[in-house]
Amino acid sequence: MPKNKRPVPRKSSDTAEDKDEAVTQSLCDLALDLAEQEDSDSQSALLQQKDVELQRLIRKNLNQKKDEVLYEAIERAKFADVGAYQYLRGHIEEAASTVLVRREGAPTMEINAFVVPLFVHSGGGLKEEQGFQDQDAFEQLVRSFQQAGLESPKAKVVLMNHAYDLAEIDSISYSHLNEMVRDAWASMTDKKVTATPALERSIAGWSGAAFGPQDAAVELRFLLGFALKRADDPFYQAPEEEAAADAYFAARMQRYQAWTLQVEPLLRRCLAGPGAALEINFLYQDLFHGGKEQGMAEYFMLQMMAEVNAALQRHGVAPERVRAVVGPADVHGDMVLRVNLYDAAGALLASSEKPLDLAADLAMEVDDVGDALGTLGVRAVAVARRFDEAGLALEETPYQPQP
């Protein structure tokens, strides 16, 4: 009599791709449900459960390094609902850049990644191999974040001894950033020398064409740091009352502006060799993704204005004798803000574009471009509702700055 055999388990019909697809759609659906109730005073038990599930799925995919799931979910949310897109992207960015560490009998600790975007003006451009050779200047720069009141006196702050270019910063995915934060945590809390492969991998080296010795170079760079502190540190708690919160952030901005003046000489010593003539324009310190977006927005704006200025010079036309039309356009599924430049006869002299986030405040974006055109001397500016597929501006109206 044959022995009884255990039945062979049926193979699941769900492939890894099917499971990832289901998680992607779940993230999108949860964001749609939660974004609708984001401004309500209280959440139902069901929505609270969905919020917990959303956070769990985000952390799981970060830990499993499934960036494609996270990016695809954000992309789907973008086309489903702008609010859901903002909600999901914001929660994924926060989870990637901030890690909470809870241990029994100890306060909850928080570590996050921050960046300081800056534009460096120099003759001939920066040389990567000359950077961060002055150890004393670097150590003073690290200490300055607490001395100037940008980080809590009770926090621990570390800074990467490298100025990241845009390509390096942009190549850091959600899961890579999360690994970097955990590497930083280990290096700041472990008494032993700890390997930090994710941090080391982030320094890929600068890309792009080198400047000639006589070129006037303007380069975007990012300082990248990590701050470790108690999650309940009152230094970071903004008041709930609106006027008090405004005063809190205004005071921080004053401290930041004073800090930029204080550390510019130190940073020049960090970025280049002795005697180098550098001018540094600081953007605002922010968490990783906010600072990255700020730097990219300013970079593309400068690039757009450089293209407009080059067109004026190429055609030998004075800025007061041209007309600019600003408006959104869809280029192969990606939104851009476009500037068309026309001469007095209506001939197109140049067309320049910069990326436009779907959730951006279009009026503010147009104001920024209008201000920049004004600095070039372009006074005749119109706003189009949009540019069509043929590049024609639709429903133009005279530009009026917001009050």
Side-chain angles (χ1 to χ4, degrees):
M1 185 174 182
K3 295 180 180 179
N4 291 329
K5 294 183 180 180
R6 294 180 62 184
V8 177
R10 294 180 59 187
K11 292 184 179 180
S12 171
S13 60
D14 289 340
T15 64
E17 291 78 8
D18 291 334
K19 292 177 181 178
D20 287 348
E21 162 64 24
V23 172
T24 301
Q25 191 58 46
S26 291
L27 285 166
C28 184
D29 292 342
L30 288 166
L32 283 165
D33 291 341
L34 290 163
E36 292 178 358
Q37 304 296 324
E38 187 177 17
D39 296 328
S40 63
D41 294 332
S42 61
Q43 281 188 336
S44 67
L46 178 59
L47 283 176
Q48 290 176 6
Q49 183 180 347
K50 288 183 176 183
D51 184 51
V52 170
E53 177 64 8
L54 178 72
Q55 302 300 336
R56 186 190 71 81
L57 286 177
I58 291 172
R59 289 195 302 271
K60 181 178 179 181
N61 282 276
L62 286 172
N63 292 336
Q64 294 180 348
K65 302 180 180 58
K66 291 191 173 182
D67 287 300
E68 68 283 356
V69 170
L70 299 173
Y71 286 109
E72 176 59 26
I74 291 172
E75 192 69 12
R76 288 188 193 180
K78 179 195 295 187
F79 292 101
D81 179 79
V82 172
Y85 161 69
Q86 290 177 290
Y87 187 93
L88 181 58
R89 188 181 67 173
H91 280 271
I92 291 174
E93 289 177 352
E94 182 179 2
S97 61
T98 302
V99 172
L100 294 175
V101 180
R102 298 178 176 88
R103 289 177 175 171
E104 188 174 351
T108 299
M109 302 298 293
E110 175 183 313
I111 180 170
N112 56 40
F114 67 83
V115 293
V116 178
L118 41 93
F119 283 91
V120 184
H121 302 246
S122 67
L126 296 171
K127 306 295 185 290
E128 185 176 358
E129 66 276 7
Q130 294 179 0
F132 295 89
Q133 301 301 307
D134 189 328
Q135 186 62 24
D136 178 62
F138 177 67
E139 290 174 359
Q140 290 185 60
L141 178 63
V142 175
R143 291 195 296 269
S144 72
F145 282 89
Q146 287 164 289
Q147 292 170 344
L150 304 186
E151 299 289 346
S152 169
K154 297 180 180 179
K156 287 185 179 181
V157 178
V158 296
L159 199 67
M160 299 293 288
N161 58 349
H162 177 71
Y164 290 76
D165 74 359
L166 178 55
E168 287 177 304
I169 284 290
D170 199 35
S171 69
I172 297 173
S173 68
Y174 291 133
S175 67
H176 186 184
L177 179 61
N178 197 247
E179 283 185 275
M180 290 168 65
V181 175
R182 295 179 187 279
D183 270 7
W185 159 265
S187 70
M188 296 165 80
T189 58
D190 197 330
K191 295 179 180 179
K192 300 177 182 178
V193 177
T194 306
T196 55
L199 293 176
E200 294 163 12
R201 197 168 74 248
S202 71
I203 303 176
W206 296 349
S207 58
F211 291 94
Q214 306 304 317
D215 291 337
V218 181
E219 299 171 275
L220 173 61
R221 293 293 182 266
F222 296 84
L223 299 180
L224 171 59
F226 301 88
L228 170 64
K229 62 266 192 179
R230 285 181 55 149
D232 61 355
D233 189 331
F235 179 88
Y236 298 98
Q237 308 303 316
E240 292 185 6
E241 198 272 322
E242 185 176 355
D246 289 344
Y248 170 90
F249 288 111
R252 192 189 189 285
M253 176 60 80
Q254 290 180 341
R255 296 197 301 271
Y256 184 76
Q257 290 171 339
W259 173 82
T260 64
L261 298 175
Q262 171 198 340
V263 302
E264 185 171 0
L266 293 174
L267 194 51
R268 284 200 296 266
R269 289 164 56 188
C270 290
L271 293 176
L278 305 181
E279 178 187 337
I280 302 173
N281 294 333
F282 293 81
L283 302 184
Y284 195 61
Q285 177 193 3
D286 203 347
L287 293 179
F288 182 90
H289 291 97
K292 170 186 167 181
E293 288 182 18
Q294 183 188 171
M296 291 178 69
E298 189 69 18
Y299 173 81
F300 288 120
M301 176 67 78
L302 290 175
Q303 189 176 62
M304 173 181 276
M305 291 306 106
E307 290 172 355
V308 169
N309 194 45
L312 291 172
Q313 295 181 7
R314 186 169 62 251
H315 292 281
V317 182
E320 62 271 14
R321 296 185 62 82
V322 300
R323 187 174 70 92
V325 180
V326 184
D330 185 332
V331 179
H332 307 301
D334 293 321
M335 293 302 298
V336 299
L337 189 62
R338 178 179 294 164
V339 173
N340 277 1
L341 203 65
Y342 302 92
D343 65 14
L348 180 65
L349 301 178
S351 184
S352 183
E353 299 168 351
K354 74 183 193 74
L356 178 65
D357 190 276
L358 191 66
D361 185 321
L362 183 58
M364 289 182 62
E365 294 282 339
V366 170
D367 267 353
D368 288 343
V369 173
D371 288 345
L373 289 169
T375 64
L376 295 180
V378 179
R379 300 286 178 254
V381 181
V383 180
R385 184 173 64 83
R386 67 180 179 89
F387 287 93
D388 66 13
E389 293 181 359
L392 297 176
L394 305 180
E395 300 179 28
E396 291 183 37
T397 55
Y399 168 62
Q400 296 291 336
Q402 293 188 98

